[in-house]
Amino acid sequence: IISENDLIASSGGTVVNFANPFREKPAVAISAQNMSTGDFFELSSVTKSGFIVNFFNASGTGISRSFDYLAKGYGYQH
């Protein structure tokens, strides 16, 4: 299990790299902060070594938000 708190995602999206990559692709959960009605996020490119998160407002425009994540997977690569 790897987690980080209070990260800031830029309006263009943020790449999160795990310090120790997993052996297999992990499950990733996001807890967004300071969201307004209609805001949403998308996870993409989830791999053994990280993921990308983008936040959007109700109109689909990229926005900056803070978030926590938790990644749970099997083992880690040496």
Side-chain angles (χ1 to χ4, degrees):
I1 296 174
I2 299 173
S3 66
E4 289 187 80
N5 298 323
D6 301 324
L7 300 177
I8 304 294
S10 72
S11 60
T14 296
V15 176
V16 174
N17 293 304
F18 305 133
N20 294 310
F22 289 94
R23 184 175 294 267
E24 301 293 331
K25 184 173 115 175
V28 176
I30 299 288
S31 178
Q33 301 156 359
N34 303 320
M35 298 285 275
S36 297
T37 301
D39 289 356
F40 63 99
F41 66 88
E42 292 181 354
L43 281 176
S44 60
S45 302
V46 178
T47 67
K48 297 182 261 187
S49 59
F51 61 91
I52 298 172
V53 62
N54 293 80
F55 287 85
F56 303 94
N57 63 19
S59 301
T61 302
I63 55 176
S64 176
R65 290 289 183 260
S66 59
F67 68 100
D68 304 336
Y69 79 85
L70 180 116
K72 182 177 180 184
Y74 170 72
Y76 67 92
Q77 293 181 357
H78 297 278

